[in-house]
Structures are given as structure tokens and as C-alpha cells.
Amino acid sequence: MDIDKNIDTVVDYLLNTDNVSVLTGAGISAESGISTFRDPDGLWSKFNPQELASIDGFMSNPELVWSWYQYRVNIVNNSIPNPGHYALAEFQNLIKNFSLITQNVDGLHQRAGSKNVVELHGSIVRNKCFDCNKIHTSKIVEHNKISNCIYCNGKIRPDVVWFGEILPRHEIELAQIYAENSKVYFSVGTSAEVYPAADLPLIAKRNGAKLIEINPNDTQLTSFVDVKINLNSGIALPLILEKYKEKKGI
Ligand code: NAD
Ligand code: ZN
């Protein structure tokens, strides 16, 4: 099937339902200049995940972990959403039950206008206390010195899910409910290697959803999908949106 035909098929799915969910991963932000993790030039080819994104790593060297997150926060602050993020934000206004679930921690979906984004892995835009869990929004690192929690003096850490940690309960439960109830499910820009997020598209498929993957590369999900679109999401999603609006006459 060629790309135009695949896009037509996806648009037909969308025209026939009010229940759509989208799971996004690092790939959707690649065109905003934010590196993915597992691609050949991704961040994990240059850095050691166990040192930078784990409780043990943080406990043994909080300064190193903080400087890595400061580095990534700076990149995110200097990035802007791309047409893929904007297309998803617009879809939310056009489809009655449209949920957006992301593994990303960069906040770009919200900056593009998406509402009620389910953040499975937290956000680097927020920090929290390691001990009492309170969210801290004030500046944490001043002149390379990390401040402590004002409530309990605990260490402050980024509000992200590290290796070995469990996902926030409310978010994963919500994501599972969306997966079970969607009629059309998109997996966009994710390598589908990080669990439990990687299970969500398969839960949707088992419950009867049409499954679509948007990714220029194949993943372990590819053999299960109904439609594969081999394009960057910043190209594919606006194409789908335009065709959808055209066919709806809006
Ligand atoms: P991943 O790095 O494992 O995989 C990225 C996937 O995106 C690959 O399959 C790749 O082929 C695809 N891709 C690359 N460019 C693309 C494009 N332009 N359009 C569509 N697809 C493209 O990422 P993951 O599956 O999200 O898992 C990584 C974990 O790392 C997540 O838990 C996430 O929290 C975290 N992470 C987040 C960010 C971010 O917030 N932007 C960045 C890196 C990693
Ligand atoms: Zn505290």
C-alpha cells in the first residue's frame, strides 16, 4: 500500500468513530530538536541511563543527575512544538472522545494546546521532593547548588519516572481505560520497548481498535498494526488532519 492510500484508510477510520486515542513517544519531539533515547544517535548512545535516570544514580551523585536534567530542561525551553504536536491539539477539538497519552516528559503537547494530556513518565518541567513527594515549582538549582525541600529538607528531584520506578497510578489506569475503549489507536514516534506503555496499543488492538503506527522505522509493534505510516510524525499527522477536514467539509 502506498502512503496516500494508507492515509485515506486512516481518515476513513477516523470519520467512523468518536473514540480515538494517541500514544506518543520521543519521536514526536524529534522534529522539535529534542533527541530520542534509543535511535543510533539518541541520548542513550552517549550517556549511561543507570547513572542518570535511576534512584541509585541520584543517591550516589545528585549533582551529576541534576546537571543532566538541567541540560535537558534548557534544550526543552529552547524548543518549540512542531506540526505533529499542533495537529494532535487540533484533532482534540474535532473528535468527541480524543485522548492523548504521552511517554514524553518535555511538555510540548501542552505548549501546542493539547488538554488533559496523560503523562505516563512525568515531566521535567516539574520537580518533587524525594521524601515527602510535594511538587516544587520554584528554581531548584541556583549557581549549581541544589536547594532542599522547604517542608522536610529532603532532596529535590525531577518529577519523572526513572528506571525501576513504577508509573503514576492514576495515569496508567486512565491510559488503560482509554486503550480498552478506543476504536482507533495511534502509536506515534515510540520504539514500543518501554513497558507498561508498550502494552497499551496491544490492549487497544485486543479490544477491537484499529491500530495505526506512525514511525519512519519499524518497531516490535509493526507486525500487529492495521496501518503503518512510514513518515515522520510532523509530516504524517498534518496530512491526516488536512484530509480529515477536507472529507468532513471543515
Ligand atoms: P525511543 O527513543 O525509544 O524511540 C523513539 C522512536 O521514535 C523510534 O522508534 C524512532 O524510529 C521514532 N522516530 C524518530 N524520529 C521520528 C519522527 N520524526 N517521527 C516519528 N517517529 C520518529 O522513545 P520512546 O519509545 O518514547 O521511549 C523512550 C523513553 O524516553 C520514554 O519513556 C520517554 O519518557 C523518554 N524520552 C522522552 C523524551 C521527550 O520528552 N521528548 C526524549 C527522549 C526520551
Ligand atoms: Zn519534602
Side-chain angles (χ1 to χ4, degrees):
M1 269 213 252
D2 63 11
I3 290 216
D4 283 345
K5 218 166 156 207
N6 283 357
I7 290 196
D8 280 341
T9 307
V10 172
V11 171
D12 285 342
Y13 291 161
L14 292 176
L15 291 167
N16 282 305
T17 184
D18 275 338
N19 272 307
V20 179
S21 294
V22 181
L23 171 70
T24 64
I28 195 166
S29 295
E31 288 155 275
S32 293
I34 300 174
S35 295
T36 60
F37 276 176
R38 287 175 189 73
D39 290 317
D41 60 346
L43 293 168
W44 288 157
S45 66
K46 303 184 189 101
F47 301 97
N48 177 357
Q50 286 307 327
E51 261 174 41
L52 298 170
S54 72
I55 294 179
D56 286 350
F58 181 72
M59 285 308 184
S60 58
N61 196 345
E63 286 78 18
L64 174 73
V65 172
W66 263 114
S67 61
W68 149 252
Y69 277 95
Q70 287 293 105
Y71 160 77
R72 288 179 60 205
V73 167
N74 284 339
I75 293 174
V76 165
N77 285 343
N78 289 313
S79 306
I80 53 170
N82 67 60
H85 296 108
Y86 285 115
L88 292 180
E90 196 171 341
F91 261 127
Q92 193 168 41
N93 298 325
L94 300 174
I95 293 174
K96 200 165 152 216
N97 301 308
F98 183 92
S99 24
L100 179 55
I101 302 103
T102 190
Q103 299 168 85
N104 293 348
V105 294
D106 58 28
L108 287 185
H109 283 305
Q110 290 88 334
R111 279 167 58 195
S114 284
K115 308 264 181 331
N116 305 319
V117 181
V118 180
E119 290 180 319
L120 291 177
H121 295 163
S123 171
I124 55 171
V125 179
R126 290 187 305 268
N127 303 303
K128 68 178 179 186
C129 172
F130 204 94
D131 295 334
C132 74
N133 245 12
K134 288 214 169 70
I135 296 291
H136 288 253
T137 45
S138 57
K139 208 160 183 226
I140 304 303
V141 184
E142 206 96 49
H143 308 299
N144 291 329
K145 204 173 165 338
I146 306 156
S147 48
N148 280 27
C149 176
I150 49 167
Y151 306 103
C152 76
N153 207 36
K155 285 192 168 64
I156 296 176
R157 56 166 283 180
D159 187 12
V160 296
V161 178
W162 282 332
F163 289 102
E165 293 189 297
I166 52 168
L167 272 60
R169 195 166 142 200
H170 176 68
E171 277 73 7
I172 189 66
E173 281 176 4
L174 208 53
Q176 277 159 351
I177 292 169
Y178 290 144
E180 284 162 12
N181 292 294
S182 299
K183 297 284 179 267
V184 177
Y185 201 94
F186 287 86
S187 174
V188 182
T190 167
S191 61
E193 282 179 24
V194 179
Y195 287 86
D199 267 335
L200 295 168
L202 295 171
I203 294 175
K205 173 92 183 167
R206 274 202 300 279
N207 283 275
K210 294 290 187 193
L211 185 56
I212 301 142
E213 178 173 65
I214 300 179
N215 194 320
N217 301 303
D218 282 355
T219 70
Q220 53 186 7
L221 190 66
T222 308
S223 57
F224 300 98
V225 304
D226 294 285
V227 182
K228 163 84 189 190
I229 298 186
N230 273 313
L231 289 174
N232 287 346
S233 46
I235 306 285
L237 289 167
L239 278 175
I240 296 167
L241 176 67
E242 280 319 303
K243 257 283 167 54
Y244 176 84
K245 290 195 329 194
E246 191 186 306
K247 288 212 178 166
K248 272 218 142 184
I250 41 182

